[in-house]
Amino acid sequence: MGRGRITGLAVSDVRFPTSLSRHGSDAMHPDPDYSAAYVTIETDAPDGLRGYGLTFTLGKGTEVVVSAVYVLAAHVVNKDLDEIIGDFRGFYRQLTSDGQLRWIGPEKGAVHLASAAILNAIWDLWAKQEGKPLWKLLVDMDPKQLLSCIDFRYITDALTEEEAYTILQNGLLGKKEREEQMLKCGYPAYTTSCAWLGYPDDQLKQLCSEALNNGWTRFKVKVGADLQDDMRRCRLVREMIGPENMLMLDANQRWEVDEAIDWVTKLAAFKPLWIEEPTSPDDILGHAKIAKALSPLGIGVATGEQCHNRVIFKQLLQARALSYVQVDSCRLGSVNENLSVLLMAKKFQIPVCPHAGGVGLCELVQHLIIFDYISVSGTLENRMCEYVDHLHEHFKYPVVIMNASYMPPQAAGYSTEMKEDSARKYQFPEGEVWQKLLSDHSATKIS
């Protein structure tokens, strides 16, 4: 029996009102509602399995991504899943390079986010049909088959398919031992949950204390709105976590290039490992200037959660404009495009420390980074994966954290499946949570 023909694709707008408690707040996004365009695909295969995929958003605009998913569905429905997987590179290019839709991209923006959600669902279904968690599907894959999933267009000046094959072949040495290590110890993580910009000091102190008691040693602080307040909050966190633990900073694109250099120089006393997204995510030369200026201070530049595609990552790597690559499982074109960035990062010897600060992102990106360690990078030096403690209870297979590390998922699939009750309850605007919130808001405005 084959894998089946895709007979249906559905997408819903799922929003969690995190803005009410300032969860996720930063210098550029003071009131985010963690949300997702949530895709379900089904086939006519007798196994009855479904694939689930999502792309992360911040509330408003999710309806635009949902509309893009519906438009792209024509490339998916009635496709044979074996045909997709058998020519995944070709299907990826077809989906992301539609002759008319690419005009409002190409490979960026709402259409690319929609493509990621659909592709994430396909990978989830493939892994389920193989009876493996996604990371294991990738680890067990023959290098040539894995490379056949990647579109190398526009990046061959930085990484050829032949070079990528050599990297994967070299990664076979010690792979079994690294997999055993992951299963035993997990992948090291850092927490962003303690120091969202909207949190008052008492809450920040309490969360830092709890995290320390739970074994966390790596902490990230949101900065960028006010220098004096940043200095005060960084001092508070540094005093809480002590000199031996790790501190990172995240400005979420708030600054001009020279402003970033000046601002971070003033925060250097708190010994941050990196400054994340110091300026526009599209400014490769600006990042390079910042990286060069901050290098003597021992502060690296991290970026990637808003990088449109593999081409932006290619340029950042070529320009030596970043010290840490922050791939995102939903911003890039799903696993396919993330694989190309992991391989480029390996060639340029830049550590990958994924972005995971959103609904479902921890669930997804853990698979990518565990694969990266086992089959590509082969090292944990200067590497860690972001973790936030919000909203995992809404997923059927939530992340498992032990000793401040991601434990490899065991359930088949990509860990993308939400609980049905949660997806229904928080569907915008029909879900009961949003009906109540919108009703209360309307009543407040009338009174």
Side-chain angles (χ1 to χ4, degrees):
M1 290 295 295
R3 299 183 184 277
R5 179 177 56 89
I6 296 175
T7 56
L9 184 153
V11 58
S12 55
D13 181 341
V14 182
R15 306 189 190 184
F16 300 92
T18 49
S19 62
L20 299 178
S21 301
R22 294 294 186 263
H23 300 322
S25 55
D26 60 53
M28 289 293 274
H29 314 96
D31 57 351
D33 286 323
Y34 276 14
S35 308
Y38 183 54
V39 170
T40 304
I41 58 173
E42 46 189 33
T43 74
D44 60 7
D47 57 26
L49 294 171
R50 293 180 175 182
Y52 297 88
L54 60 85
T55 198
F56 172 60
T57 54
L58 290 186
K60 295 175 185 175
T62 310
E63 65 271 25
V64 178
V65 181
V66 166
S67 296
V69 169
Y70 279 126
V71 174
L72 288 169
H75 292 285
V76 183
V77 177
N78 292 320
K79 277 276 190 179
D80 188 279
L81 195 57
D82 275 321
E83 292 181 7
I84 291 175
I85 293 169
D87 182 22
F88 219 153
R89 178 184 300 171
F91 177 76
Y92 175 89
R93 188 174 291 189
Q94 176 188 343
L95 190 66
T96 59
S97 301
D98 178 289
Q100 295 183 9
L101 290 176
R102 78 182 305 275
W103 189 258
I104 56 174
E107 296 183 81
K108 62 174 72 74
V111 175
H112 209 47
L113 291 172
S115 299
I118 292 170
L119 289 162
N120 284 339
I122 291 172
W123 280 97
D124 179 56
L125 182 55
W126 183 9
K128 284 176 178 174
Q129 290 183 337
E130 292 294 324
K132 298 178 180 181
L134 181 101
W135 67 267
K136 181 63 172 169
L137 175 70
L138 296 174
V139 165
D140 289 348
M141 205 177 290
D142 174 83
K144 288 186 178 179
Q145 183 185 17
L146 190 141
L147 293 176
S148 73
C149 301
I150 300 172
D151 189 352
F152 283 88
R153 184 171 52 171
Y154 306 136
I155 64 171
T156 54
D157 56 319
L159 179 75
T160 65
E161 188 168 350
E162 292 74 20
E163 289 173 320
Y165 179 76
T166 299
I167 289 171
L168 291 173
Q169 282 293 109
N170 292 338
L172 296 175
L173 184 64
K175 187 170 81 168
K176 182 175 182 293
E177 291 75 15
R178 290 191 295 275
E179 182 174 339
E180 291 173 351
Q181 181 188 357
M182 282 291 98
L183 290 169
K184 180 181 179 182
C185 302
Y187 198 95
Y190 73 86
T191 178
T192 303
S193 298
C194 299
W196 297 112
L197 200 61
Y199 284 178
D201 287 359
D202 287 347
Q203 185 176 8
L204 188 154
K205 290 178 183 179
Q206 177 186 343
L207 292 172
C208 277
S209 179
E210 291 174 356
L212 287 165
N213 290 336
N214 289 326
W216 291 92
T217 60
R218 305 173 183 91
F219 298 78
K220 190 163 78 179
V221 178
K222 296 288 184 174
V223 298
D226 179 88
L227 177 58
Q228 294 305 313
D229 191 56
D230 285 350
M231 294 179 71
R232 183 186 61 78
R233 292 172 70 254
C234 286
R235 182 177 296 108
L236 189 157
V237 173
R238 178 53 82 187
E239 289 174 353
M240 287 287 299
I241 69 175
E244 72 282 359
N245 287 325
M246 202 172 287
L247 177 68
M248 287 78 70
L249 307 178
D250 186 356
N252 290 95
Q253 315 150 41
R254 181 64 183 255
W255 301 316
E256 300 293 317
V257 171
D258 292 334
E259 183 184 19
I261 295 169
D262 181 61
W263 201 301
V264 179
T265 298
K266 290 180 170 67
L267 297 176
F270 305 107
K271 303 296 181 184
L273 177 69
W274 75 51
I275 177 62
E276 183 174 333
E277 288 199 308
T279 191
S280 166
D282 300 341
D283 190 353
I284 289 93
L285 297 182
H287 275 86
K289 182 177 180 180
I290 294 167
K292 183 177 181 179
L294 296 181
S295 180
L297 299 175
I299 303 172
V301 169
T303 195
E305 71 180 80
Q306 293 275 0
C307 282
H308 302 302
N309 50 48
R310 63 197 179 281
V311 181
I312 298 291
F313 273 113
K314 178 192 76 170
Q315 294 176 78
L316 287 165
L317 290 164
Q318 289 174 324
R320 295 289 173 182
L322 78 175
S323 314
Y324 302 91
V325 169
Q326 294 182 309
V327 294
D328 183 283
S329 55
C330 296
R331 174 72 58 181
L332 295 181
S334 186
V335 178
N336 312 68
E337 193 166 32
N338 271 290
L339 290 173
S340 68
V341 177
L342 297 178
L343 289 161
M344 283 193 290
K346 170 64 175 178
K347 178 182 175 179
F348 283 84
Q349 292 297 302
I350 301 295
V352 176
C353 299
H355 170 244
V359 60
L361 296 187
C362 294
E363 277 70 21
L364 274 70
V365 83
Q366 61 180 333
H367 291 270
L368 301 177
I369 198 62
I370 289 169
F371 160 76
D372 179 64
Y373 171 65
I374 295 173
S375 296
V376 181
S377 74
T379 179
L380 294 178
E381 184 178 0
N382 293 324
R383 286 161 168 81
M384 51 187 155
C385 186
E386 183 175 25
Y387 174 74
V388 297
D389 60 5
H390 306 136
L391 307 174
H392 302 296
E393 66 273 16
H394 299 294
F395 285 83
K396 191 172 180 179
Y397 306 106
V399 294
V400 176
I401 298 290
M402 291 179 60
N403 300 319
S405 297
Y406 281 91
M407 300 309 295
Q410 298 301 302
Y414 198 5
S415 306
T416 42
E417 187 174 349
M418 287 187 187
K419 294 177 180 177
E420 289 185 15
D421 287 347
S422 292
R424 184 168 53 249
K425 184 177 181 180
Y426 290 92
Q427 184 170 349
F428 184 86
E430 294 88 356
E432 64 178 78
V433 168
W434 284 103
Q435 285 186 341
K436 183 178 187 307
L437 285 171
L438 294 171
S439 174
D440 291 348
H441 177 69
S442 177
T444 301
K445 288 184 68 176
I446 292 173
S447 63

